[in-house]
């Protein structure tokens, strides 16, 4: 039986901005795409570890609405890796108890990837373990705009009074409807910014940045982030 550090309080929802694949590859004189492939290995390993660690919701930022700006060759390499991950998780990880959900606008992806995404969600939908939100073509601003559009339609149809447009009502139209807000957001790769990640949900999240590049991020790094989280005093605007 594997030993797990169990003494730490584990937050219900953790978000991770998986950054630094490109720099990891550059340091080794390798193409950026190799960094993304190693990043995918870390993704698989860490989702399982974090799920065993008792986290209820994990949101991983895999591709932003802004990442389409990258050279086509890199975008294509990422699509290839997504495809491999999806096929692999459908064939080899059926025994995992992780409920996989994709957040973001999937309609922009190639048709076969959309089908794999739908299939992956379908296979996982009755699982009782950790919920894994994979943010793909996700942008916090686009998510809020989309929610506002739905609320406008409801008010236009006379189903909702303007003063019933509350924070709760808006939350119900976010991709994360029904989930607790993230308690902790970890960013690898050393930057101190959100890059359009969970803008509405992150209002009171604790932010933790580590210099470790995503392909190198391991169990010990995750435990360090949890430890740092324990030291924070969350006041939510109170005293
Ligand atoms: C994160 O790593 C992966 C994605 C954004 C898809 P990067 O590719 O941004 O790596 P760096 O920041 O260039 O090192
Ligand atoms: C954030 O990383 C997006 C993902 C990790 C998917 P980026 O590398 O795209 O962010 P910036 O460009 O440094 O802000
Ligand atoms: Mg980056």
């Amino acid at each position: 039986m594997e030993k797990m550090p169990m003494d730490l309080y584990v937050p219900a929802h953790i978000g991770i901005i998986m950054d630094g694949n490109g720099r990891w590859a550059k340091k080794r004189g390798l193409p950026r795409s190799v960094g993304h492939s190693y990043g995918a290995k870390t993704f698989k390993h860490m989702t399982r570890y974090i799920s065993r660690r008792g986290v209820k919701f994990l949101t991983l930022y895999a591709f932003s609405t802004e990442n389409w700006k990258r050279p086509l060759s890199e975008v294509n390499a990422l699509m290839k890796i997504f495809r491999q991950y999806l096929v692999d998780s459908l064939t080899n990880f059926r025994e995992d108890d992780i409920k996989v959900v994709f957040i973001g606008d999937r309609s922009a992806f190639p048709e076969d990837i959309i089908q794999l995404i739908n299939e992956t969600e379908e296979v996982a939908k009755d699982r009782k373990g950790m919920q894994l939100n994979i943010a793909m073509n996700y942008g916090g601003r686009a998510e809020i705009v989309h929610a506002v559009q739905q609320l406008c339609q409801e008010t236009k149809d006379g189903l909702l009074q303007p003063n019933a447009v509350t924070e709760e009502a808006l939350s119900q139209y976010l991709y994360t409807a029904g989930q607790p807000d993230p308690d902790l957001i970890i960013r690898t790769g050393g930057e101190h910014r959100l890059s359009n990640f969970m803008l509405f949900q992150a209002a009171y999240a604790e932010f933790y940045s580590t210099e470790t590049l995503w392909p190198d991020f391991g169990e010990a790094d995750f435990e360090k982030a949890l430890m740092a989280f324990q030291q924070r005093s969350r006041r939510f605007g109170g005293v």
Side-chain angles (χ1 to χ4, degrees):
M1 186 71 184
E2 188 180 359
K3 237 180 106 208
M4 287 254 177
M6 283 303 179
D7 49 326
L8 288 177
Y9 164 76
V10 176
H13 189 168
I14 297 178
I16 305 183
I17 302 170
M18 308 181 285
D19 196 23
N21 295 348
R23 279 163 285 167
W24 184 92
K26 195 171 173 213
K27 267 185 18 194
R28 290 164 175 77
L30 297 165
R32 292 178 60 84
S33 58
V34 178
H36 295 312
S37 295
Y38 274 84
K41 287 190 208 290
T42 303
F43 181 107
K44 270 184 237 166
H45 179 76
M46 288 311 292
T47 48
R48 284 174 155 178
Y49 178 74
I50 294 170
S51 127
R52 291 203 310 274
R53 207 59 186 78
V55 171
K56 297 276 182 293
F57 297 88
L58 174 66
T59 302
L60 295 182
Y61 203 8
F63 192 86
S64 76
T65 47
E66 287 71 37
N67 287 147
W68 298 106
K69 290 184 205 158
R70 296 187 178 201
L72 187 62
S73 57
E74 182 170 345
V75 171
N76 284 339
L78 283 163
M79 294 304 142
K80 209 173 146 190
I81 290 165
F82 294 154
R83 203 174 269 121
Q84 276 165 356
Y85 167 78
L86 290 162
V87 170
D88 193 35
S89 66
L90 276 168
T91 46
N92 298 325
F93 301 116
R94 284 191 176 257
E95 76 281 9
D96 274 3
D97 194 30
I98 298 172
K99 182 175 172 187
V100 192
V101 165
F102 291 82
I103 67 172
D105 179 11
R106 68 188 66 178
S107 73
F109 290 110
E111 191 52 46
D112 69 309
I113 292 191
I114 299 176
Q115 284 195 11
L116 286 166
I117 285 176
N118 293 340
E119 217 181 307
T120 303
E121 283 182 337
E122 180 59 28
V123 163
K125 75 178 193 305
D126 295 322
R127 293 183 187 160
K128 298 284 179 283
M130 179 182 82
Q131 175 157 332
L132 168 63
N133 301 315
I134 305 179
M136 295 233 305
N137 192 25
Y138 172 88
R141 286 186 172 182
E143 179 182 39
I144 294 168
V145 167
H146 177 256
V148 170
Q149 283 174 351
Q150 309 286 309
L151 292 168
C152 287
Q153 189 62 50
E154 283 198 7
T155 47
K156 182 169 172 258
D157 295 343
L159 299 168
L160 194 72
Q161 291 301 309
N163 62 6
V165 177
T166 58
E167 293 182 10
E168 289 69 32
L170 194 140
S171 297
Q172 289 315 304
Y173 282 113
L174 298 177
Y175 292 117
T176 52
Q179 302 179 28
D181 285 339
D183 304 289
L184 170 64
I185 292 179
I186 298 171
R187 181 167 185 145
T188 61
E191 312 290 358
H192 294 77
R193 54 175 171 263
L194 286 173
S195 301
N196 207 6
F197 185 58
M198 300 197 108
L199 296 185
F200 190 86
Q201 299 91 330
Y204 277 98
E206 294 296 328
F207 188 75
Y208 176 87
S209 171
T210 169
E211 291 294 326
T212 305
L213 304 171
W214 177 249
D216 290 330
F217 189 80
E219 297 173 8
D221 298 287
F222 180 77
E223 293 303 324
K224 237 170 110 178
L226 279 190
M227 225 110 79
F229 176 80
Q230 309 264 297
Q231 309 300 316
R232 307 282 178 90
S233 160
R234 303 183 80 191
R235 287 184 289 277
F236 299 99
V239 285

